[in-house]
Amino acid sequence: MTQEKKPSVFANLTVQILIAMIAGIGLGIFVHQNFDATAAKDFSSYIKILATIFIRLVQMIIAPLVFTTLIVGIAKLGDIKVVGRIGGKALGWFFTASLISLLIGMIWVNVLEPGAGLTLGNIDTASASEVSAKTADFSAQHFIEHIIPKSLFEALATNEILQIVVFSIFFGLAAASMGDHSKPIIKALDTASHIVLKMVNYVMKFAPVGVFGAIAGVFAVRDFSELMLTYAKFFGSFMVGIGSLWVVLLLIGFLFLGGQMKLLLQRITGPLFIAFGTTSSEAVFPKLTEELERFGIKDKIVSFMLPLGYSFNLDGSMMYMTFAAIFIAQVYGVHLDIPTQLTMLLVLMLTSKGIAGVPRASLVVVAATCGMFDIPVEGIALILPIDHFCDMFRSATNVLGNALATAVVGKWEKD
């Protein structure tokens, strides 16, 4: 009898990503220490192409995946009342989670006061211009435009997830109302969704290479030790806040899912590391879809919850927004009493919705909020140097929050 050969530990995607991260850090530090600034910058721009290729490959399949799976999922639900019930539970969860995340950020930034008495020299305020420029269109009209599509094809071309979700809900409900007449097109879309999910497996083989490029590119141009010394109080306080949020999310997970929570964490380990390495929660959307279905959640729930979650349920980003805005106020000596901070929290709750897909969306929202509360918008430049490292943790937290929300709503629906 021949024994079946066990797959090598190095065949595991999570292990490959960990190795890629370590190798990327090592190479980046080597380049930073042994080459001049210009050469290191050139190296960084070239090596980051690997990360760009991976993220663009993922972005290539997000729109067709959301479009096909959501329509099929709603058609399988088959009833506008069921869609409304699940949607109500989803939004209730999302807004509660957002409120908790914002409060955690607000509490810790007030307790630890990382910006009080801080003087940071050589801050390049020009570097904030790209972010602050995007706040010009930040208005109610901009918010509506990010929700309601004027063209499905434009939404698909620009990966506007929320707009694709809105169209897909209408299309799915219309298809469900037609009964047997719509079955051929639903079957075709179901087949297409499985083809796209198969593509996910091919794309994910490139994930370690993408993570390697992203990490090496950052460490080549950043003096990590010097950066950590300069921003020790800010980054340490942020880690306390994000750590607290993880504790809360995990406790809620164990409360609702019990022993299944451990299995869920095992399933999403790979997506968590990819999000951490690439600083993009969007990069793991297709893989997370696949892993949640393997966990046992019905495809109709996953296809409905995840696209909504990526627009409404970014827990790590929410926690960072209150933390960063109040930190900037502390640095500039702008006093914000508790009622004002709570008002800011509610503003952030609303303005942060519907901007998924905007580059550096968290910073854009923070800059816009600072402008509303007479906090110098150029203060964004204070946190730009350390933002990439904060983004690693908040991207991973976003993935955990969406996986948890999908699993809990799936359990509530007995699916």
Side-chain angles (χ1 to χ4, degrees):
M1 243 179 109
T2 56
Q3 281 190 330
E4 193 178 332
K5 215 174 178 182
K6 285 187 179 180
S8 166
V9 68
F10 295 106
N12 184 291
L13 180 64
T14 305
V15 174
Q16 291 175 7
I17 292 167
L18 274 170
I19 293 169
M21 287 174 69
I22 294 166
I25 291 169
L27 179 60
I29 291 172
F30 174 80
V31 170
H32 183 78
Q33 292 178 346
N34 293 279
F35 293 85
D36 60 51
T38 305
K41 191 174 181 181
D42 289 341
F43 169 82
S44 177
S45 62
Y46 284 119
I47 197 76
K48 277 184 177 178
I49 292 172
L50 297 175
T52 303
I53 291 170
F54 170 64
I55 290 173
R56 287 182 75 91
L57 282 171
V58 173
Q59 289 172 332
M60 170 184 75
I61 55 182
I62 286 176
L65 182 64
V66 172
F67 179 69
T68 55
T69 57
L70 186 52
I71 289 173
V72 172
I74 290 172
K76 285 180 179 177
L77 290 174
D79 186 352
I80 194 167
K81 289 180 181 177
V82 177
V83 174
R85 186 183 72 235
I86 296 172
K89 288 177 180 176
L91 291 177
W93 179 281
F94 295 159
F95 278 95
T96 303
S98 294
L99 185 61
I100 291 170
S101 303
L102 288 164
L103 279 169
I104 287 173
M106 190 185 94
I107 289 167
W108 281 117
V109 77
N110 279 289
V111 170
L112 300 173
E113 295 189 321
L118 189 66
T119 307
L120 295 174
N122 302 318
I123 292 297
D124 180 15
T125 52
S127 62
S129 59
E130 182 190 345
V131 175
S132 56
K134 290 174 186 169
T135 64
D137 296 327
F138 202 84
S139 60
Q141 182 180 345
H142 183 72
F143 176 75
I144 295 299
E145 286 173 357
H146 258 83
I147 294 177
I148 310 298
K150 64 179 178 181
S151 163
L152 168 65
F153 300 103
E154 182 186 45
L156 288 169
T158 55
N159 267 356
E160 289 284 1
I161 294 179
L162 195 52
Q163 293 184 12
I164 297 169
V165 167
V166 170
F167 180 89
S168 300
I169 288 172
F170 277 98
F171 192 100
L173 289 172
S177 69
M178 291 179 67
D180 290 344
H181 293 291
S182 62
K183 278 187 176 179
I185 194 164
I186 297 301
K187 188 176 180 181
L189 288 171
D190 194 17
T191 304
S193 71
H194 283 90
I195 292 171
V196 176
L197 283 170
K198 188 68 177 175
M199 288 172 66
V200 171
N201 293 323
Y202 301 146
V203 170
M204 282 303 136
K205 292 184 186 300
F206 197 75
V209 180
V211 170
F212 171 77
I215 296 284
V218 171
F219 278 85
V221 293
R222 298 278 191 197
D223 189 325
F224 184 70
S225 57
E226 185 182 319
L227 206 60
M228 287 299 108
L229 283 172
T230 306
Y231 286 91
K233 196 174 180 185
F234 173 81
F235 191 70
S237 301
F238 167 73
M239 288 304 298
V240 170
I242 210 78
S244 302
L245 181 54
W246 269 70
V247 169
V248 170
L249 288 173
L250 292 174
L251 284 174
I252 292 172
F254 279 108
L255 182 67
F256 283 100
L257 300 175
Q260 288 180 305
M261 185 62 192
K262 188 178 177 182
L263 178 59
L264 177 66
L265 288 172
Q266 289 173 350
R267 280 284 173 206
I268 65 171
T269 300
L272 284 172
F273 276 112
I274 295 170
F276 182 83
T278 60
T279 67
S280 171
S281 45
E282 190 181 56
V284 300
F285 182 94
K287 183 66 175 173
L288 191 58
T289 300
E290 187 179 55
E291 290 297 345
L292 288 173
E293 288 181 9
R294 284 181 178 176
F295 173 66
I297 307 166
K298 289 287 177 64
D299 55 357
K300 60 186 180 183
I301 301 292
V302 175
S303 62
F304 186 78
M305 286 292 298
L306 269 192
L308 281 179
Y310 267 67
S311 295
F312 290 100
N313 189 45
L314 302 174
D315 298 333
S317 297
M318 299 298 286
M319 177 264 153
Y320 184 74
M321 287 175 198
T322 41
F323 188 91
I326 298 172
F327 167 79
I328 294 168
Q330 289 174 353
V331 173
Y332 282 96
V334 178
H335 175 69
L336 300 172
D337 56 26
I338 296 302
T340 305
Q341 289 187 32
L342 289 172
T343 305
M344 178 188 284
L345 186 146
L346 293 173
V347 168
L348 283 166
M349 170 84 82
L350 295 173
T351 56
S352 61
K353 307 305 179 191
I355 61 158
V358 177
R360 306 192 99 159
S362 299
L363 291 179
V364 174
V365 175
V366 170
T369 306
C370 286
M372 291 178 199
F373 288 86
D374 297 323
I375 302 165
V377 176
E378 61 269 20
I380 287 292
L382 295 168
I383 56 177
L384 276 176
I386 196 73
D387 184 67
H388 182 92
F389 299 100
C390 295
D391 202 7
M392 288 175 155
F393 291 93
R394 65 180 187 249
S395 295
T397 307
N398 292 341
V399 172
L400 174 66
N402 277 316
L404 182 58
T406 306
V408 171
V409 172
K411 186 173 183 180
W412 283 343
E413 289 296 311
K414 296 182 173 57
D415 278 325

